[in-house]
Amino acid sequence: MKDAIYRTLGRAGETLEWFRHRARGARFSADSPAPPGFDRTGLVSLQGVPAALRDAGGGLVFARYESVAHSLWRAQELTLFHAHWELLPAPLMDFGAGDGSFTAVLASKVAWAVDSDPDALAAAGGLGIYESVAKCTGSRIPLPDRSVRSVMSNSVLEHVDELDAVLAEIARVLVPGGRLGLTVPLSRYTEHLTTWFGPRAAAAVNIESSHRNMMTRAEWLERLERVGFSPSVVREYQPDWFTYWYRMLRLLGPRGLGRVPGVQAACWRLWGGRWADMVRSSISETEDGACLFVIAERSGT
């Protein structure tokens, strides 16, 4: 019964989404892919101001973004990186740093911010946590061989066009024994969206999110091993119910009810504790997660 209710409400929400997109002349749809190279997913704000921390306790790390849904998605990643931060020693390269608002929650000093978006890099540079920023072009990372001990890549590798070449470049800039920490959505994310919201909505979400590499856990691990990485920490997270609520809570975002003054603040007061519990539950070990967290070591001498 609950699944049927979720599907009904999910598809009703997608109907509202369709009307909203039509009203504002939306650029994306399941039949209209994003233009080549269009990907501003790492750009949250041009002000260079990190999101405010929310203390949820119990090792949980929250950052308050403009969107409740985005805050919950990022809380999963922030908490997982925070719990394994000692495995990523300096000097560290933040690959796909975006505007830096994610990493600014975790660290006060990072050696490199690397991204393909110059606007995002400008915002990241304004935070004061990065010693250097560098724009990558294509698959090329403009750092010397063996120049960093760690690389973090949060929700980035699913967007790149030349995945194997990018992974090889990350391996090149790492010292032997250096580590890569990453998060990516899996193909199961599409399955979750399809279950609750339908195949057309799932396709539209992936297009709008510029998702180019949606693979299984086994496929991601094989791609890493192919270029010389040995995974030491492998965690799936985000079960299907979390994906459902993540998608539904977009209705509280800045393009929905969040436009009404005070609505989001009131929702955080009412349900913030429950949302924190959702994140804690989501990042517990699961066998059907929509996302993957990996720490992998670069082989070689």
Side-chain angles (χ1 to χ4, degrees):
M1 175 63 74
K2 184 177 76 172
D3 287 359
I5 293 173
Y6 273 24
R7 290 190 181 95
T8 300
L9 293 176
R11 282 160 172 75
E14 291 306 315
T15 300
L16 292 174
E17 185 84 353
W18 185 85
F19 280 111
R20 183 178 64 80
H21 276 249
R22 293 285 292 182
R24 67 184 182 91
R27 188 172 185 177
F28 303 103
S29 75
D31 301 318
S32 177
F38 185 94
D39 179 6
R40 310 306 302 278
T41 55
L43 189 59
V44 175
S45 145
L46 282 174
Q47 284 72 49
V49 178
L53 280 172
R54 176 182 175 84
D55 180 13
L60 197 64
V61 181
F62 253 89
R64 290 280 295 273
Y65 291 91
E66 197 176 18
S67 162
V68 170
H70 192 66
S71 297
L72 297 185
W73 183 290
R74 287 288 181 252
Q76 300 175 104
E77 301 161 337
L78 285 166
T79 303
L80 287 167
F81 270 107
H82 176 70
H84 297 86
W85 196 248
E86 74 281 357
L87 299 179
L88 300 172
L92 180 142
M93 179 184 77
D94 187 359
F95 179 73
D99 64 6
S101 61
F102 181 88
T103 305
V105 177
L106 296 168
S108 59
K109 190 61 63 178
V110 175
W112 286 95
V114 175
D115 203 279
S116 60
D117 185 335
D119 293 331
L121 275 180
L127 292 176
I129 70 165
Y130 295 105
E131 297 175 10
S132 302
V133 299
K135 183 179 183 299
C136 60
T137 303
S139 61
R140 180 68 180 173
I141 298 174
L143 270 69
D145 294 356
R146 305 184 177 191
S147 54
V148 296
R149 294 180 65 196
S150 305
V151 174
M152 67 172 292
S153 177
N154 182 63
S155 288
V156 174
L157 295 173
E158 69 271 22
H159 301 296
V160 303
D161 289 315
E162 303 173 67
L163 179 59
D164 287 338
V166 168
L167 290 174
E169 275 289 274
I170 291 173
R172 178 186 65 80
V173 303
L174 276 168
V175 300
R179 295 192 184 103
L180 164 64
L182 66 91
T183 63
V184 288
L186 298 170
S187 56
R188 197 177 286 118
Y189 176 58
T190 305
E191 296 170 11
H192 290 179
L193 291 170
T194 300
T195 296
W196 303 126
F197 304 100
R200 185 177 180 84
V205 168
N206 281 325
I207 289 170
E208 187 165 356
S209 300
S210 299
H211 288 161
R212 296 174 173 86
N213 306 307
M214 299 297 284
M215 299 186 292
T216 65
R217 165 180 172 152
E219 288 170 330
W220 275 106
L221 296 182
E222 191 277 329
R223 298 293 274 272
L224 289 169
E225 292 165 357
R226 186 189 302 175
V227 295
F229 282 104
S230 178
S232 57
V233 177
V234 180
R235 293 271 301 274
E236 289 186 29
Y237 61 98
Q238 192 167 308
D240 59 352
W241 58 264
F242 192 101
T243 300
Y244 171 81
W245 283 110
Y246 163 74
R247 181 68 179 158
M248 290 298 287
L249 284 170
R250 78 196 186 282
L251 300 176
L252 288 179
R255 293 183 295 180
L257 292 174
R259 290 179 296 182
V260 180
V263 165
Q264 282 206 30
C267 290
W268 277 109
R269 287 194 300 271
L270 287 171
W271 299 311
R274 183 174 297 179
W275 291 338
D277 289 340
M278 286 171 54
V279 173
R280 287 192 190 93
S281 179
S282 175
I283 61 177
S284 300
E285 291 289 346
T286 178
E287 296 182 356
D288 68 341
C291 301
L292 185 68
F293 173 80
V294 176
I295 301 287
E297 187 171 297
R298 179 195 186 279
S299 60
T301 59

